[in-house]
Amino acid sequence: MGASTSTGQRTQRAQRADARRNVEAILDAATRGLRRDPNVSIADIAAEAGVGRITLYGHFKTRADLVEAVLARTIGHAHAVFDGLDLSGDPVEALATLVTSSWRVIEQHRGVLGAAARELGHERIRDVHDDILTRVGHLVERGQAEGVFRDDLPGSWLVTVILTLMHTAAQDVDAGRLAAADAGLYLVRTLVAALTPPGSIVPVR
Amino acid sequence: MGASTSTGQRTQRAQRADARRNVEAILDAATRGLRRDPNVSIADIAAEAGVGRITLYGHFKTRADLVEAVLARTIGHAHAVFDGLDLSGDPVEALATLVTSSWRVIEQHRGVLGAAARELGHERIRDVHDDILTRVGHLVERGQAEGVFRDDLPGSWLVTVILTLMHTAAQDVDAGRLAAADAGLYLVRTLVAALTPPGSIVPVR
DNA sequence: GCTAACTCGTACATTCATGTTCAAGTTAAT
DNA sequence: ATTAACTTGAACATGAATGTACGAGTTAGC
């Protein structure tokens, strides 16, 4: 990471507390800024973080370094959320759990990934994005195999529908068009219905 | 429009054929470029249109003029498609008609709107976007009133779901992840199921 | 054939963003 | 109290994009 080194790299004292606070503030500001506008300037990020541009450059050598750090942190968050999910058992319940727990993370994830792709190239993010696709894909396949999810449409399309609507719900919440408290419920109802096999009854939730 | 004047503005002959061809080529290139990257440069647009940058500036005084022209043309196309749709009768069939006929237009529309919003401001596009929202909204309301669309979710959310998935399907087609021939069918199946009231059977299509 | 519309590359001015350098003040940690 | 880590604005260099100006060649339409 482009930020100042930890004790491991120098045999002196660890990074100062105000430096650590500033690094987090910069990463927070960069995350918000990049999702809003992938071309957000370094000056704007620094201003929103409440630090000088020079200070930002003290922690991140280049813009690409900063974006890389944002990407790494975002991926870490996403993995933390997904690793904590129990997606075994009834696929419909697992889908509800997945959707309710991760719609926020998905939106951050895709927003940052989009910005990072422009900055760092698609290669850098392909493998990390695939991880989430794979997890959701396995759930969809399991549901299709058990006959509780429709199999007249390919799993890849259903995965796209799931991720896209989670992203959309989060954007609507950010835009004030949807209450955060409603997002999970709306998503679960919409997606469970969308995945219900033709000829079957849409579950009441 | 920022392009060269028609006969109406000067009492000389109409715009030359090669000039009209170039204007269309520029608008086509700008539409593609803006959807790909809202910050696409004037130089790139001109190159893709196969004209000189100076020629482009001969037809459009500024970048904002060009974006405005792209917006106007895109809106015109969308209206032409929507005006030609018969959305009366069975709401489920009407939804299928809407989706099958306009997923391509929706993607163009939203891509250009997004780019135009950054360039021209959100005010300029609010009223044009509302028209399509209104038409889709009326269909959703009719379906809810007739009991064939779920009413445990607000119409505004269902409209968002419809438009978002059409946009997504078109993006997947552009990206090669989805065959164009499959897009309409996948969308219809997914959306009809998503809108089926809980406790009802998902229609087989 | 004539002529005005149309086209063009190069050069230029301006603006903005990135990244670097400088000296010096502030402050966290010992 | 000390000191090294951390912070800072201004100035600067570089590159990229927008928009303008120039003279001149091309061509569509009459």
Side-chain angles (χ1 to χ4, degrees), chain A residues 130-196:
Chain A
D130 282 351
D131 183 47
I132 292 188
L133 285 175
T134 300
R135 290 177 195 250
V136 178
H138 283 154
L139 176 55
V140 166
E141 282 169 17
R142 213 160 55 70
Q144 286 180 318
E146 291 185 29
V148 293
F149 289 163
R150 68 191 309 152
D151 60 8
D152 60 333
L153 293 174
S156 58
W157 169 249
L158 298 180
V159 169
T160 294
V161 168
I162 293 169
L163 295 178
T164 297
L165 288 184
M166 289 203 282
H167 182 70
T168 297
Q171 283 188 316
D172 275 9
V173 168
D174 285 344
R177 292 190 293 270
L178 176 62
D182 293 333
L185 180 67
Y186 287 15
L187 278 169
V188 169
R189 286 180 176 174
T190 306
L191 288 168
V192 165
L195 271 66
T196 296

Side-chain angles (χ1 to χ4, degrees), chain A residues 14-205:
Chain A
Q15 193 178 48
R16 265 167 55 169
D18 56 347
R20 290 201 301 277
R21 279 198 301 276
N22 279 343
V23 166
E24 287 307 306
I26 291 166
L27 290 173
D28 287 343
T31 301
R32 288 192 297 273
L34 286 165
R35 282 155 59 200
R36 192 167 59 229
D37 173 11
N39 294 283
V40 64
S41 68
I42 290 290
D44 284 345
I45 293 173
E48 187 165 338
V51 302
R53 226 170 38 94
I54 314 314
T55 301
L56 191 154
Y57 276 110
H59 293 298
F60 302 96
K61 191 173 170 55
T62 66
R63 180 190 176 92
D65 278 353
L66 174 57
V67 172
E68 179 68 49
V70 167
L71 181 66
R73 198 178 72 150
T74 301
I75 290 165
H77 286 173
H79 278 133
V81 168
F82 274 86
D83 285 346
L85 294 181
D86 177 12
L87 301 185
S88 60
D90 177 35
V92 175
E93 290 311 315
L95 177 64
T97 297
L98 172 86
V99 165
T100 306
S101 304
S102 56
W103 61 270
R104 263 298 189 191
V105 168
I106 289 295
E107 194 268 344
Q108 271 194 22
H109 195 273
R110 284 183 59 168
V112 166
L113 282 178
R118 292 160 176 274
E119 198 84 30
L120 307 175
H122 288 268
E123 286 298 322
R124 175 62 186 87
I125 61 173
R126 181 178 296 169
D127 44 10
V128 301
H129 188 259
D130 282 351
D131 183 47
I132 292 188
L133 285 175
T134 300
R135 290 177 195 250
V136 178
H138 283 154
L139 176 55
V140 166
E141 282 169 17
R142 213 160 55 70
Q144 286 180 318
E146 291 185 29
V148 293
F149 289 163
R150 68 191 309 152
D151 60 8
D152 60 333
L153 293 174
S156 58
W157 169 249
L158 298 180
V159 169
T160 294
V161 168
I162 293 169
L163 295 178
T164 297
L165 288 184
M166 289 203 282
H167 182 70
T168 297
Q171 283 188 316
D172 275 9
V173 168
D174 285 344
R177 292 190 293 270
L178 176 62
D182 293 333
L185 180 67
Y186 287 15
L187 278 169
V188 169
R189 286 180 176 174
T190 306
L191 288 168
V192 165
L195 271 66
T196 296
S200 297
I201 293 178
V202 172
V204 178
R205 299 187 71 93

Side-chain angles (χ1 to χ4, degrees), chain B:
Chain B
M1 187 180 287
S4 298
T5 60
S6 66
T7 310
Q9 190 161 344
R10 282 184 303 176
T11 56
Q12 283 165 316
R13 66 191 185 204
Q15 192 176 50
R16 264 168 53 167
D18 57 347
R20 288 200 302 276
R21 279 198 301 278
N22 280 344
V23 167
E24 286 308 306
I26 292 166
L27 290 174
D28 286 344
T31 300
R32 290 192 296 275
L34 286 166
R35 282 155 58 200
R36 193 167 59 230
D37 173 11
N39 295 283
V40 64
S41 70
I42 290 290
D44 283 345
I45 293 173
E48 189 166 337
V51 302
R53 223 168 42 94
I54 312 317
T55 302
L56 191 154
Y57 277 109
H59 293 297
F60 302 95
K61 191 173 171 51
T62 66
R63 182 191 175 90
D65 279 355
L66 174 57
V67 172
E68 179 69 49
V70 167
L71 182 65
R73 197 179 72 148
T74 301
I75 290 166
H77 285 173
H79 279 132
V81 168
F82 274 87
D83 286 347
L85 293 182
D86 177 11
L87 300 184
S88 59
D90 177 34
V92 175
E93 291 311 314
L95 177 64
T97 298
L98 172 85
V99 165
T100 305
S101 303
S102 57
W103 61 270
R104 263 297 190 193
V105 169
I106 288 297
E107 192 269 344
Q108 272 195 21
H109 196 273
R110 285 183 59 168
V112 165
L113 283 177
R118 294 162 175 271
E119 198 85 30
L120 308 174
H122 289 268
E123 285 299 322
R124 173 62 186 87
I125 61 173
R126 182 177 296 170
D127 45 11
V128 302
H129 188 259
D130 281 351
D131 183 49
I132 292 190
L133 284 174
T134 300
R135 289 176 197 249
V136 178
H138 283 155
L139 176 57
V140 166
E141 281 169 18
R142 219 163 47 72
Q144 286 180 317
E146 290 184 31
V148 293
F149 289 163
R150 67 190 310 153
D151 59 7
D152 60 334
L153 293 174
S156 59
W157 168 251
L158 299 179
V159 170
T160 294
V161 169
I162 293 170
L163 295 180
T164 298
L165 288 185
M166 289 202 283
H167 181 72
T168 297
Q171 283 188 316
D172 274 10
V173 169
D174 284 346
R177 293 191 292 271
L178 176 62
D182 292 333
L185 179 67
Y186 287 13
L187 279 168
V188 169
R189 285 178 175 176
T190 306
L191 289 168
V192 165
L195 270 66
T196 296
S200 297
I201 293 178
V202 172
V204 177
R205 298 188 72 91

